[in-house]
Amino acid sequence: MANRVALIFDTNFIIEHSKDLNSVVEKLSKSYEVFVTQLSIDERISQQYLDLKAKYDKASKLANEIHSFAKLEFLKEFDEAYKLTKIGVQNNYNNLFLNKIIPFSKSEETYAEIIDRVYKKTAPFISGNSDKGFKDTILWLSLIEYFSNNNNYESILFVSNDHGFTENIKPLQEEFKEKTKMHIEIQNNDFLNEMIIEKKDIEIKNSELKNITSEELNDLRQEIQNSLKNVCTGYSYDPDVDGYRSFPLFKLNEYLEINQIENMFENLPKVLFRELFATEFVFGDLFNNLYIFKEQYYISREKIEALNSLYEKIKKNYKQLLPQFFKVVKETIDQNYDTDGFPEDIPF
C-alpha cells in the first residue's frame, strides 16, 4: 500500500454523483485507495432527513385539507421511517467503503480547537465570512488525525469544491505536512470528473455549425447567459456600499441531473398554461415533485417565459445544440447548490 495514494472526496462530489456513486468508486479504486468521511455520510443522512420531513409535512397538510371526506393514514410514523432511512444510508456507505470511513472526533479538545480556529480565521474558515467553515474545519481536523495515525501512503488527494479548501491550498498543505509528515493535494471536483465521466457526444462538431454564423453563436451565448442569470440570481441595493449585491434566487440540497433539466423544459409550457394567471413563480415550481429547492424567492413570469422561449428557439433553429444547452443550464443552476446545507451547530 506504500505506493498507493489515498483519495478522499467531499460531500459535494458525492452529491454530484449520487446516481452512480458505486460505479464511480469502482473506477477510482483502480488508481486510489478511496475513502469517505463519516461527516460526509452524516451530511447525506441530514439531507435525507430534510427530504423525508418535507414529504411528511406535505402529506400532513393534504390530510388536513381532505379530512372532511377522506382519511390519509401513514404506514410508518416519521420517527420510525427516518430511523430506518438513517440505518440504510449508513449501511450502504459501510458496504461501499468497507474499512475506509474516516471518523471525526466529538471530544471537548476538538471543539476547543475549532473555536480557536474560528477566532483566528484559520483555514478552512473563510476570513470575513462570520463562522463559515465550521463543518469544513471538522472535516479537515478529522483528516489530520486519521492520517497522523495511518501514514503508510505515498500521498493524499482530497477533492472538494468548497472555497474554504480551494482558496487556501498552500496553508492547508503546510499544516498537513507539519502534522502528518505527508503531502496532501487539494483539487476541485473537475479533477476527478475528467477521469470518470464517460464522454458523451455533446461536443459541437464543425460540421454541425456550418449553418450557424459566429455572430449568431455569440448572440445565442449572450442570450443564454442573460436568461439563466435572470432566473438564478437576484439583486438588492446595499446602502453600505451604495450599490447592488447579488444573491441566489433559490438554493439546492442536491445537484440536478441532465434528464431532470430536459424534463423541466418539456413540461414548462404545461406549467405556464396551468398557472395562466400567475405573475410570479419560485424556481421549484418548474419541476414535478422535486423537493431539493429551498430559500426560494419569486421570479417574474416574464423571466420564466423568456427562458421557455429561448428553449423553443434553440429546439426549433439549433436542435443540434440542445445537449450543450442542457449542459450549461445544469451547470448554472448547480452553482446555487447550498454548500452550507448541513447544520453547522453539530452537538459535541
Side-chain angles (χ1 to χ4, degrees), residues 25-210:
V25 172
E26 182 181 353
K27 290 178 183 178
L28 292 174
S29 295
K30 296 176 181 178
S31 304
Y32 303 100
E33 296 284 345
V34 184
F35 289 80
V36 69
T37 67
Q38 183 60 47
L39 187 65
S40 289
I41 298 173
D42 287 350
E43 282 193 77
R44 295 299 289 150
I45 291 173
S46 173
Q47 289 155 355
Q48 291 289 327
Y49 171 91
L50 295 173
D51 183 57
L52 187 64
K53 186 69 165 58
K55 292 176 180 177
Y56 267 78
D57 287 346
K58 185 175 182 179
S60 296
K61 181 180 179 181
L62 176 61
N64 289 331
E65 292 175 353
I66 66 174
H67 75 277
S68 62
F69 57 88
K71 180 180 179 181
L72 189 153
E73 182 178 354
F74 290 103
L75 300 178
K76 291 185 179 69
E77 292 300 320
F78 173 76
D79 288 344
E80 180 186 359
Y82 169 62
K83 181 180 179 181
L84 293 173
T85 299
K86 181 178 180 180
I87 293 172
V89 171
Q90 184 68 54
N91 286 340
N92 286 340
Y93 281 95
N94 290 345
N95 294 331
L96 182 58
F97 291 91
L98 297 176
N99 297 319
K100 295 185 174 65
I101 296 177
I102 299 173
F104 66 92
S105 173
K106 301 179 182 180
S107 68
E108 292 182 5
E109 291 80 6
T110 300
Y111 181 74
E113 183 173 357
I114 293 170
I115 296 301
D116 182 63
R117 295 175 79 111
V118 172
Y119 294 147
K120 296 177 180 177
K121 296 302 179 188
T122 304
F125 278 105
I126 300 176
S127 179
N129 281 270
S130 183
D131 294 339
K132 183 175 175 59
F134 196 97
K135 174 185 68 66
D136 289 342
T137 298
I138 297 174
L139 189 153
W140 179 246
L141 294 178
S142 72
L143 296 184
I144 289 176
E145 181 176 358
Y146 184 86
F147 289 105
S148 294
N149 299 316
N150 298 271
N151 56 5
N152 54 341
Y153 292 91
E154 182 180 356
S155 63
I156 314 299
L157 171 60
F158 177 59
V159 177
S160 174
N161 274 353
D162 285 354
H163 295 301
F165 293 113
T166 59
E167 295 177 5
N168 295 287
I169 293 177
K170 186 175 180 180
L172 290 172
Q173 286 179 323
E174 291 174 352
E175 180 185 11
F176 196 84
K177 182 73 171 180
E178 177 186 352
K179 294 181 177 179
T180 69
K181 313 303 180 188
M182 301 176 68
H183 172 72
I184 187 168
E185 183 179 356
I186 299 174
Q187 295 280 357
N188 61 28
N189 291 356
D190 289 340
F191 179 83
L192 290 183
N193 285 337
E194 292 178 1
M195 297 173 53
I196 61 177
I197 295 179
E198 296 181 2
K199 301 298 181 182
K200 297 181 180 179
D201 189 19
I202 59 175
E203 289 77 14
I204 305 173
K205 300 180 178 63
N206 290 333
S207 60
E208 295 176 332
L209 294 174
K210 61 183 180 181

Side-chain angles (χ1 to χ4, degrees), residues 216-232:
E216 281 181 292
L217 198 55
N218 286 331
D219 289 344
L220 197 57
R221 288 191 187 107
Q222 192 62 46
E223 188 176 356
I224 292 171
Q225 183 180 17
N226 291 338
S227 185
L228 292 177
K229 185 182 294 184
N230 285 338
V231 298
C232 292

